[in-house]
């Protein structure tokens, strides 16, 4: 009896998934870093002319977020669901609070907004990690 013509060779699907995951492991953090850096620069610029210090602020803040996201993505599978959710909540809340503080609002307002959005992300991330499970 003849084999079906569309049978894949062994191991090709695993290699394709690994390549996709490795690309996403750096593409998502870089994209988030670029978005945060651009947004931080545009908040500080306030419609005026872009200066070197404003550009440096955007580049550094974007690079820091990208590095933290990449590092968290590398270790998230080794963490329990609660710790991974707390890490994502802290990263998200800290980023939102940082951006809000750049707008000239008080540190207290930025902290409260960061805590509230971080708590929301903690709940969502915990739900995701808990339902995905092992």
């Amino acid at each position: 009896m003849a084999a079906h013509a569309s049978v894949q060779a062994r191991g090709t699907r695993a290699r394709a998934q690994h390549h996709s995951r490795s690309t996403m492991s750096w593409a998502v953090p870089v994209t988030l870093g670029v978005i945060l850096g651009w947004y931080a620069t545009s908040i500080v610029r306030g419609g005026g002319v872009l200066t070197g210090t404003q550009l440096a602020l955007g580049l550094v803040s974007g690079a820091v977020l990208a590095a933290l996201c990449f590092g968290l993505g590398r270790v998230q599978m080794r963490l329990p669901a609660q710790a991974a959710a707390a890490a994502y909540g802290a990263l998200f809340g800290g980023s939102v609070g940082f951006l809000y503080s750049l707008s000239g609002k008080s540190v207290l307002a930025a902290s409260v907004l960061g805590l509230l959005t971080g708590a929301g992300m903690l709940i969502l991330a915990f739900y995701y990690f808990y339902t995905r499970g092992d």
Side-chain angles (χ1 to χ4, degrees):
M1 181 172 226
H4 193 271
S6 66
V7 174
Q8 290 183 348
R10 289 186 163 276
T12 57
R13 184 173 183 175
R15 267 186 256 127
Q17 285 178 348
H18 177 68
H19 178 68
S20 173
R21 283 187 182 169
S22 69
T23 302
M24 293 301 286
S25 72
W26 64 265
V28 171
V30 167
T31 303
L32 291 174
V34 166
I35 290 170
L36 182 114
W38 169 77
Y39 197 59
T41 302
S42 67
I43 289 172
V44 173
R45 189 178 71 146
V49 177
L50 182 65
T51 64
T53 56
Q54 294 167 348
L55 185 62
L57 172 76
L59 289 173
V60 169
S61 61
V64 167
L65 179 72
L68 290 173
C69 286
F70 181 76
L72 183 56
R74 299 298 266 181
V75 299
Q76 76 180 7
M77 292 302 179
R78 292 183 288 242
L79 296 174
Q82 298 88 351
Y88 276 104
L91 188 60
F92 184 75
S95 298
V96 170
F98 168 70
L99 289 175
Y100 193 69
S101 72
L102 291 178
S103 66
K105 306 293 181 185
S106 72
V107 174
L108 180 63
S111 299
V112 168
L113 183 64
L115 283 173
L116 290 175
T117 56
M121 177 56 85
L122 183 141
I123 292 168
L124 291 172
F126 179 73
Y127 176 77
Y128 174 77
F129 289 126
Y130 186 74
T131 56
R132 197 168 128 214
D134 290 327

